[in-house]
Each structure stands twice: as structure tokens, then as C-alpha cells.
Amino acid sequence: MMKKEVTIKFVNGVEASPIALLVQTANRFSSSIYIESGDKKVNVKSIMGMMSLAMNYEDMVTVVTEGKDEKEALDTLEQFLSEG
């Protein structure tokens, strides 16, 4: 299992379109992928779960990956979230 704190860099927050792209990106990996924000832990492969997080610009979240491609998944999601 790998964990990394990431700062959200989407200027307008994470709205439906970026969330859909994030979910599509996460689904390319076989690993389990979660985002922890406050007291919530959400499966990144679930669009409804991701919408429930209501992430905003410069929020700090923790990306958690576990599985055979966990490092690649973590690196890809970190880049996606931190480059906006």
C-alpha cells in the first residue's frame, strides 16, 4: 500500500468534467485507489463517491493505492490532481 498527500490545483475546484476524467484515469489501473479527505475515504473509481467529496482548489487530500500497479497509479493520480 502506498499513500501520498496531494494538493488539488484545479482553479474552479473539481467539478463534474474533471471528476469524470479522474475516474476514467483511475479505472485504467487494477489497484484499489482511494482518496481520503477529512473523515471521508472514497473509491476514486466511483464517480458518485468522488462527487461527494466536493474538493476545492488547494485542498489537501491523501491518495491511497494498493495493488500490483500501485506506484504507477499513485504517480498518475498525483500528477492529474496537482497539475489542474
Side-chain angles (χ1 to χ4, degrees), residues 53-66:
L53 283 181
M55 296 181 291
N56 293 301
Y57 181 71
E58 293 198 341
D59 281 355
M60 180 71 70
V61 298
T62 302
V63 179
V64 181
T65 59
E66 185 171 5

Side-chain angles (χ1 to χ4, degrees), residues 14 19 22-23 33-37 40-55:
V14 182
I19 285 180
L22 177 63
V23 170
I33 306 169
Y34 293 91
I35 286 184
E36 297 174 348
S37 179
K40 289 186 178 182
K41 181 176 181 178
V42 174
N43 183 343
V44 180
K45 296 179 181 183
S46 164
I47 195 157
M48 294 307 292
M50 290 304 301
M51 293 293 286
S52 74
L53 283 181
M55 296 181 291

Side-chain angles (χ1 to χ4, degrees), residues 2-84:
M2 300 182 75
K3 286 186 173 189
K4 187 159 193 178
E5 288 190 350
V6 178
T7 303
I8 305 297
K9 291 295 183 179
F10 292 98
V11 176
N12 294 323
V14 182
E15 298 172 349
S17 182
I19 285 180
L21 290 173
L22 177 63
V23 170
Q24 286 176 346
T25 301
N27 276 297
R28 294 190 328 223
F29 300 99
S30 64
S31 293
S32 298
I33 306 169
Y34 293 91
I35 286 184
E36 297 174 348
S37 179
D39 61 350
K40 289 186 178 182
K41 181 176 181 178
V42 174
N43 183 343
V44 180
K45 296 179 181 183
S46 164
I47 195 157
M48 294 307 292
M50 290 304 301
M51 293 293 286
S52 74
L53 283 181
M55 296 181 291
N56 293 301
Y57 181 71
E58 293 198 341
D59 281 355
M60 180 71 70
V61 298
T62 302
V63 179
V64 181
T65 59
E66 185 171 5
K68 67 178 184 176
D69 54 0
E70 64 189 22
K71 181 173 179 0
E72 183 183 358
L74 182 63
D75 292 345
T76 299
L77 291 176
E78 175 189 16
Q79 182 178 11
F80 185 95
L81 293 169
S82 64
E83 291 184 358

